Amino acid sequence: MKKLYIKTYGCQMNEYDSDKMADILRACDGMAQTDTPDDADVILLNTCSIREKAEGKVFSDLGRVRAIKQAHPHVLIGVGGCVGSQEGEAILKRAPYVDVVFGPQTLHRLPEMLQARRDTGRAQVDISFPEIEKFDRLALGGQPKVGVSAGSAFLSIMEGCSKYCTFCVVPYTRGEELSRPFEDVLRDVHTLMAQGVREITLLGQNVNAYMGATEDGDTVDFAFLLQAIAALDGIERLRYTTSHPKEMTQRLIDVYATTPKLVSHLHLPVQSGSDRVLAAMKRGYTVLEYKSIIRRLRVVRPDISVTSDFIVGFPGETEQDFEATMRLIDEVGFDACFSYLFSPRPGTPAAELRDDTTEEVKAARLDRLKVRVDELERTANDAMLGTVQRVQVEGLSKKDANELAGRTDNNRVVNFAGSPGMIGRFVDVKITQVVRHTLRGEAVLRT
């Protein structure tokens, strides 16, 4: 039996795509996954190009797997994901031992590409955007479990992005926004339910921009889709990521008031607290509009946990701009955030902007932001002490194999003692301790 090794970089969309690659190669070529590239017949790097460091790591890893191919010439090496889409043929010039290059929209063609490489001896490159073909080819119906882990699953409902923020390569590497048909999504949900899934996370680059066609010729929005899935008896919990402030409509906010199955957690990237910087980023909203979204959400769901993304050191960011970001963090009271230094991506408008701020100043700003966000996260975690949380048990704890780990409604990881039979189920857990970014607790038996 041939063996497949996949290394995944970046976002949950890439994690989902890697699962799809494994599934289709298992179904078409009978490949079994391995945890080490040294045992593999096919090595795939599913890449991310959001930041320069991630892209550099890809080529560094390619250098390491080159030795495997030199020792075992039959091994095929593939580069997929956003770096594959962005660089295309240029990857072969830099790493001529690579056999296939593909983008996020052509991963479903992997069996044919690998076979063509074997038959012709020529490297294969396909970074086209064949619209809905990928979803049609990789529908869940009749296939083995896809993206399923202990009662939870990711489900991609759309691809691409049409926002064209000045710092982002996603529209160029994944194409413009394309939503899956409504009935196709529901069919996949029913397939997952039949596999024991009770918690679903809907995925998309801008997932709340979803506009799916129906079989009778209508179009439904993201709010309608959430309500339709929540109405199914077998689904107990719904999440989604990643969302965009421009698509946080009042209809979507109202769903939080009427749909308890939708979790009390929202990841809503803001990127900056300065209107001037937001305009330069071409984000399409102001700080006041962003705060209005959060205020309206907290009216209908007072306990909602809000997390976000921040880019520090965007070209031209002044000390005044950064102070505005710090004020926004305090005003909103984010529970947690991902924050990064600006990384210029080739081909994006922001890469051409003048930037006079030193790297030392940017690094100091990032450190200060992270310290404040960590303080807020600790405060939010402390507030959960003594509460009983409904936890979806995902598996064994990474810190202690004798314990279980699960996720709360507001997306906090909890480690607690329990039996393996709890994995994949929802369990009530009393929070007893805060340990940095995670929680500890005790299972509570219902009477």
Side-chain angles (χ1 to χ4, degrees):
M1 178 181 289
K2 293 180 180 178
K3 292 186 179 180
L4 168 69
Y5 172 80
I6 303 177
K7 180 164 185 177
T8 307
Y9 309 74
C11 66
Q12 287 174 316
M13 287 292 291
N14 269 18
E15 295 284 353
Y16 179 86
D17 283 348
S18 290
D19 285 341
K20 293 290 192 177
M21 293 177 202
D23 285 324
I24 196 167
L25 289 174
R26 179 172 63 248
C28 296
D29 294 342
M31 289 191 186
Q33 274 189 272
T34 176
D35 294 330
T36 171
D38 299 283
D39 296 335
D41 299 284
V42 174
I43 298 172
L44 300 178
L45 306 184
N46 189 16
T47 64
C48 172
S49 62
I50 291 295
R51 282 173 291 281
E52 187 176 14
K53 185 180 294 186
E55 186 176 320
K57 193 172 189 316
V58 171
F59 286 102
S60 175
D61 287 344
L62 275 175
R64 281 191 281 272
V65 299
R66 180 183 187 180
I68 298 175
K69 190 175 182 69
Q70 288 174 331
H72 307 283
H74 76 281
V75 171
L76 298 183
I77 298 173
V79 177
C82 290
V83 173
S85 181
Q86 180 176 292
E87 300 295 326
E89 296 273 359
I91 291 175
L92 301 181
K93 295 178 181 178
R94 187 167 172 178
Y97 48 88
V98 169
D99 298 286
V100 296
V101 178
F102 55 100
Q105 307 297 355
T106 51
L107 64 89
H108 59 287
R109 296 175 178 173
L110 264 173
E112 294 85 354
M113 294 178 70
L114 292 170
Q115 190 58 49
R117 175 66 179 89
R118 298 185 188 101
D119 293 342
T120 67
R122 294 192 300 271
Q124 304 292 307
V125 178
D126 187 348
I127 54 173
S128 59
F129 295 91
E131 298 189 349
I132 207 72
E133 177 189 315
K134 169 185 172 182
F135 289 124
D136 289 342
R137 177 80 175 269
L138 300 179
L140 301 191
Q143 289 194 15
K145 289 186 178 182
V146 179
V148 178
S149 174
S152 64
F154 293 115
L155 180 60
S156 182
I157 64 169
M158 65 177 298
E159 282 274 359
C161 178
S162 301
K163 301 298 185 288
Y164 288 91
C165 299
T166 58
F167 57 83
C168 187
V169 298
V170 168
Y172 310 102
T173 58
R174 285 187 176 264
E176 296 210 340
E177 291 166 359
L178 179 68
S179 298
R180 297 183 63 196
F182 172 69
E183 281 83 8
D184 285 3
V185 175
L186 286 190
R187 274 191 286 271
D188 278 358
V189 171
H190 280 283
T191 299
L192 291 169
M193 288 167 54
Q195 296 173 358
V197 169
R198 295 296 174 259
E199 176 181 294
I200 289 180
T201 301
L202 303 178
L203 297 180
Q205 265 73 40
N206 286 315
V207 67
N208 53 337
Y210 175 85
M211 293 294 289
T214 67
E215 291 177 349
D216 59 8
D218 290 333
T219 300
V220 300
D221 63 3
F222 188 58
F224 186 93
L225 178 66
L226 287 173
Q227 291 172 315
I229 296 175
L232 301 174
D233 287 340
I235 297 300
E236 297 186 42
R237 185 179 280 177
L238 262 178
R239 303 183 186 274
Y240 62 86
T241 192
T242 292
S243 50
H244 194 287
K246 284 187 68 175
E247 309 295 347
M248 285 302 300
T249 64
Q250 188 59 50
R251 272 180 50 80
L252 179 52
I253 291 172
D254 290 342
V255 173
Y256 283 87
T258 60
T259 312
K261 291 181 181 180
L262 181 58
V263 297
S264 290
H265 171 254
L266 173 67
H267 186 71
L268 191 63
V270 62
Q271 306 300 1
S272 175
S274 162
D275 284 340
R276 195 183 66 82
V277 173
L278 290 174
M281 290 177 169
K282 199 179 174 184
R283 289 292 287 173
Y285 52 84
T286 65
V287 172
L288 184 61
E289 288 168 334
Y290 184 90
K291 290 193 292 185
S292 173
I293 292 169
I294 305 304
R295 178 186 58 79
R296 285 179 284 140
L297 275 166
R298 285 176 170 159
V299 167
V300 299
R301 190 73 73 88
D303 63 341
I304 194 165
S305 168
V306 181
T307 59
S308 195
D309 294 342
F310 287 94
I311 294 175
V312 175
F314 188 82
E317 180 190 72
T318 65
E319 193 64 31
Q320 184 178 6
D321 293 325
F322 179 70
E323 291 299 335
T325 295
M326 295 300 291
R327 283 197 301 274
L328 178 64
I329 289 171
D330 282 334
E331 289 168 358
V332 171
F334 294 104
D335 283 17
C337 293
F338 298 101
S339 52
Y340 317 92
L341 288 179
F342 170 75
S343 178
R345 309 313 301 128
T348 61
E352 306 300 322
L353 295 177
R354 179 176 174 176
D355 185 9
D356 297 325
T357 308
T358 67
E359 293 304 312
E360 290 77 14
V361 168
K362 293 178 183 179
R365 290 175 183 171
L366 181 63
D367 288 343
R368 183 180 159 200
L369 186 151
K370 286 184 173 181
V371 167
R372 182 58 184 140
V373 169
D374 282 349
E375 291 172 350
L376 291 172
E377 182 179 0
R378 178 65 188 233
T379 299
N381 285 344
D382 286 345
M384 296 177 69
L385 282 172
T387 65
V388 175
Q389 300 289 324
R390 192 73 169 152
V391 171
Q392 203 277 333
V393 186
E394 297 178 339
L396 298 178
S397 170
K398 293 180 180 179
K399 300 189 177 189
D400 186 343
N402 295 316
E403 292 190 332
L404 302 177
R407 201 167 294 271
T408 65
D409 181 272
N410 64 348
N411 207 38
R412 293 297 200 268
V413 174
V414 182
N415 297 303
F416 64 98
S419 67
M422 293 178 175
I423 295 175
R425 294 167 48 197
F426 285 87
V427 176
D428 287 339
V429 177
K430 184 176 181 180
I431 307 303
T432 59
Q433 186 180 2
V434 175
V435 186
R436 193 159 172 75
H437 298 295
T438 60
L439 305 171
R440 290 189 56 78
E442 298 173 351
V444 178
L445 297 179
R446 287 189 171 188
T447 58

